Amino acid sequence: MKKLQNKLQEKLQNRKQNNKGFSLVELIIVIAIMAILVGIVGTQVIPYINKSRESKDQQIISSYCTAAVSAYSSNAGSLNKPADPLTLEVYAGTVTGDAADGAKVISDIKNYTYSALPTAKFSSPEGKKITEIEIKINPTAHTVEAKGVGATGDFATVKGDL
């Protein structure tokens, strides 16, 4: 009985001495499995990353809409009451409507948001093409509309109430 027990202990010790790590084949198999998993997961995640970038860009345009409401409200007492909506192209300085009123509102919008068009802050491919933020303020309908305008067309439109 003791001989059998000694032989088993010797075999266990020999196994421990010979087993020093993973073989090359085992490591290659694990790396291949991980590469397959990363390929599958990566293709599923990329569309969500692009959607989050577009949502962030829409949030920036929404901040312009909020700034326009604040700017118009803070200047409402001193502005002429136009019958036509006031259309502002914030960074080109173009105003459709009362130019003096538009200049006051544009100045405040820039103070409330960004002093320069934040093209570096837009992160989606479409958002980086934005060259202008156009804001339409309609005091008779009590609405504000902000949209990002680029060379390829409008990026996003955000509407709000005065």
Side-chain angles (χ1 to χ4, degrees), residues 43-119:
T43 57
Q44 298 296 319
V45 170
I46 289 172
Y48 292 109
I49 292 171
N50 289 336
K51 282 183 182 179
S52 70
R53 287 181 179 162
E54 286 179 7
S55 295
K56 178 183 172 254
D57 292 348
Q58 289 174 354
Q59 188 66 30
I60 291 172
I61 293 172
S62 179
S63 73
Y64 280 96
C65 187
T66 304
V69 169
S70 298
Y72 188 81
S73 298
S74 65
N75 291 311
S78 64
L79 298 178
N80 299 324
K81 304 296 181 220
D84 296 330
L86 185 64
T87 302
L88 314 169
E89 291 180 4
V90 177
Y91 290 96
T94 308
V95 177
T96 304
D98 191 326
D101 288 350
K104 290 178 193 175
V105 175
I106 286 176
S107 174
D108 280 355
I109 289 172
K110 287 182 180 181
N111 289 337
Y112 294 150
T113 55
Y114 304 94
S115 58
L117 184 63
T119 52

